[in-house]
Amino acid sequence: MSDTRDPIRLHLDALFASCAPYGDGMIEVAYTDQHGRPNQARLFDVADIDGTVAFIKEKNVIPGVNVYVGAASRLPDTDPNKRCDTTAFYVATAIWVDIDDGAAAERAA
């Protein structure tokens, strides 16, 4: 049984739990090579949260590798082994805002 308090799982659930009407969508997990270039990715079914979490944890322990989760689900027929572009967009369940300082947070509020 998986730990439902796991921060990675909570993040994925927040993004993709409401994708039920689009349950055939994909989660993009992009990751860098050991030189910091985000040039690799793997896609997972939105229903495969366990597999997605396991993959993220596997990559996250490699020195120099950073992991990124696409904020929107990807179309079902997207190539599962490469980075996505705008043509792969399927549905978004969240709006992303880059808030790097206190003033930005106040403006966003």
Side-chain angles (χ1 to χ4, degrees):
M1 179 176 222
S2 60
D3 180 1
T4 57
R5 295 167 297 159
D6 179 294
I8 296 170
R9 173 172 297 285
L10 291 171
H11 182 75
L12 295 175
D13 283 344
L15 287 175
F16 301 107
S18 63
C19 282
Y22 302 92
D24 56 346
M26 308 291 283
I27 299 170
E28 179 185 16
V29 178
Y31 53 100
T32 67
D33 59 20
Q34 291 180 313
H35 303 287
R37 293 181 295 252
N39 58 0
Q40 303 169 78
R42 182 163 164 206
L43 273 64
F44 296 84
D45 292 336
V46 293
D48 186 14
I49 299 297
D50 289 338
T52 308
V53 169
F55 182 79
I56 290 170
K57 288 182 176 185
E58 174 187 311
K59 293 296 179 189
N60 205 36
V61 297
I62 301 170
V65 172
N66 290 310
V67 180
Y68 306 91
V69 175
S73 67
R74 310 307 188 210
L75 289 166
D77 61 349
T78 304
D79 184 338
N81 295 303
K82 68 177 199 170
R83 292 294 314 268
C84 296
D85 60 21
T86 57
T87 63
F89 174 84
Y90 195 23
V91 65
T93 61
I95 297 172
W96 290 92
V97 179
D98 189 4
I99 300 176
D100 294 327
D101 61 52
E106 288 175 14
R107 288 190 304 273

